Amino acid sequence: MTPPLFTIGKLSTASGVKVPTIRFYEQSGLLPAPPRTASDRRLYDDAALRRLAFIRHARQLGFDLDAIRSLLDLSDLPDHTCEEANRIAEQHLRAVSDKIQRLKALERELVRMTKACAVDGSISACKVIEVLQDAECRHP
C-alpha cells in the first residue's frame, strides 16, 4: 500500500501550519521542495509532515530558523552524538533566561510606576506619564 500524499492544503490542515508558512519553509530550505503533479501541485509525504511538525515545535519553543536548520541537519545524522544539539539548546536556554531576567526587571519597574501613580492620582504627579516622558530613561 502506498503511503498517503498530501496537497499543500491537506499538509497545512494536518500540521497546523499555514500554507504561506509552508512555502516560506520550502524557500528557506527547511522543508525540501516536494515532487509535483503534472498539473504542478505539490505532493508531500509523511516525512514532510514529520519534518514540518519538528519545525513547528521548534518555533513554538522559540528557536530561530538558523538553529532549526542546524537541528534538522543533525536529525538527519542519527549515529552522531547529541553534543551539538545540546549546545544549540543550551545557547537558546541562556537567551531565554536572559530575556526572562529583562522581563522581570520590566515588571518591577511597571509595578513601581503604577503604585507611585496611584498615590496622588493627578496627571501632574503621575509617575507613568513622568517615566514615559523621560527620553533619557533606560529601562530593560
Side-chain angles (χ1 to χ4, degrees):
M1 184 176 181
T2 306
L5 294 176
F6 305 92
T7 62
I8 196 166
K10 299 261 188 215
L11 183 69
S12 174
T13 300
S15 66
V17 177
K18 294 180 180 182
V19 169
T21 304
I22 294 171
R23 288 187 185 121
F24 172 75
Y25 290 156
E26 281 181 28
Q27 292 167 351
S28 300
L30 294 175
L31 191 64
R36 293 181 180 253
T37 66
S39 61
D40 207 33
R41 293 182 73 187
R42 295 171 169 93
L43 289 178
Y44 299 88
D45 59 11
D46 283 332
L49 178 61
R50 286 190 304 274
R51 191 170 181 97
L52 192 53
F54 182 104
I55 296 167
R56 183 173 186 246
H57 191 204
R59 292 296 291 152
Q60 287 171 335
L61 292 173
F63 285 96
D64 64 28
L65 295 182
D66 288 335
I68 294 171
R69 184 175 288 104
S70 296
L71 291 167
L72 283 167
D73 290 346
L74 290 169
S75 75
D76 292 334
L77 306 169
D79 294 334
H80 279 60
T81 68
C82 66
E83 182 179 340
E84 180 64 13
N86 196 49
R87 185 194 64 73
I88 292 168
E90 286 176 344
Q91 183 178 9
H92 184 57
L93 175 60
R94 282 191 300 276
V96 168
S97 295
D98 290 346
K99 189 173 190 175
I100 289 170
Q101 293 305 311
R102 289 191 309 274
L103 287 170
K104 285 181 180 179
L106 177 60
E107 178 185 42
R108 286 189 301 273
E109 180 62 14
L110 289 169
V111 166
R112 186 189 69 72
M113 281 172 37
T114 56
K115 283 184 178 179
C117 193
V119 173
D120 181 324
S122 68
I123 288 295
S124 64
C126 180
K127 288 295 180 189
V128 173
I129 301 297
E130 179 183 320
V131 169
L132 294 175
Q133 287 177 338
D134 183 3
E136 300 299 317
C137 186
R138 300 284 186 255
H139 296 285

